[in-house]
Amino acid sequence: MKIITILSATALALVAVACTKRTDINGSWTSTPTRVGDDIAAASEATSVLSIDFDAPKGARSGGVTVSAVIDATQPVKADTLATFTEPYEVSVAATATISGRWSFEDDDDDDILIFLDRNTMQVNVDPNGITFSQNLLTGAQQPMVDSLSAVTADRWRSAVRNAATKQFFTLTKLDDVKVVNDILSCEVGKRDLTFHRSSVK
């Protein structure tokens, strides 16, 4: 009976040690800007900043996760596309996309994280108030016309941003070799090395 008790205590101790060795991923992590212009056909330049928010209390093997992207893009527009302008101009667009799901450490490997995102939770926002046109080319333009252009541009960009964000999000199905050192999370996704900085702790 004593042997069984000792073995049980040893097993519990080993589990406790294993839990303390798990990488502390709890909180929000933000990447450096990444070029995504090739994924947005209308853009001449576009960058995306990814954030991953893990709900990961100490010792948890799984939990909720939210991934978001802030995308900034520019688009040159020819004057003849809109009779209002007599010169070429440039549109700047700021957009956000978010999606939620679940995360889990891979079985028998606390260095690899699996992420399961739910497409039905994806939201994309292109705020017309965040759209700007080249300032010097708006001289003399009527404000209602500018507001109208902003609304139309926002509608056109939502689809483009959704496609780019979806591609980014669903590359994050598995984070390999996850390490956290001095509030910097490093991992591999496919053959790419990614780095995130801790932006908040829950």
Side-chain angles (χ1 to χ4, degrees):
M1 202 60 182
K2 284 185 178 180
I3 294 176
I4 294 174
T5 302
I6 292 171
L7 289 174
S8 298
T10 303
L12 289 172
L14 290 173
V15 170
V17 170
C19 289
T20 59
K21 287 186 177 180
R22 286 183 194 145
T23 304
D24 178 16
I25 61 171
N26 193 47
S28 297
W29 304 84
T30 303
S31 73
T32 54
T34 302
R35 287 176 53 87
V36 292
D38 292 342
D39 298 325
I40 303 178
S44 57
E45 295 286 340
T47 59
S48 175
V49 176
L50 280 175
S51 294
I52 304 179
D53 188 341
F54 290 106
D55 181 12
K58 188 174 182 179
R61 286 201 56 84
S62 62
V65 64
T66 299
V67 184
S68 61
V70 177
I71 296 176
D72 292 301
T74 57
Q75 174 193 27
V77 180
K78 295 181 180 179
D80 57 9
T81 60
L82 291 167
T84 305
F85 295 126
T86 58
E87 302 176 52
Y89 64 98
E90 186 176 73
V91 179
S92 296
V93 178
T96 58
T98 61
I99 192 169
S100 299
R102 304 285 297 174
W103 70 270
S104 174
F105 283 115
E106 192 168 34
D107 290 344
D108 302 321
D109 193 342
D110 287 345
D111 288 335
D112 295 344
I113 296 174
L114 304 177
I115 296 179
F116 310 93
L117 298 176
D118 182 356
R119 289 180 182 270
N120 293 327
T121 66
M122 187 163 177
Q123 296 182 351
V124 177
N125 179 49
V126 180
D127 185 359
N129 293 326
I131 296 173
T132 59
F133 298 87
S134 300
Q135 187 65 40
N136 63 322
L137 298 179
L138 285 178
T139 303
Q142 296 292 322
Q143 187 61 40
M145 175 62 72
V146 175
D147 292 341
S148 176
L149 289 174
S150 297
V152 171
T153 301
D155 287 339
R156 291 175 178 172
W157 275 84
R158 283 191 186 93
S159 177
V161 168
R162 177 179 291 275
N163 291 338
T166 298
K167 183 175 180 180
Q168 269 202 305
F169 291 160
F170 284 93
T171 60
L172 302 174
T173 54
K174 183 179 180 181
L175 310 183
D176 291 303
D177 197 20
V178 177
K179 294 182 177 64
V180 174
V181 179
N182 296 329
D183 287 335
I184 297 176
L185 185 153
S186 61
C187 63
E188 294 180 9
V189 175
K191 295 182 179 180
R192 294 187 302 135
D193 293 326
L194 295 182
T195 302
F196 296 84
H197 292 76
R198 193 193 295 270
S199 52
S200 70
V201 180
K202 294 185 177 179

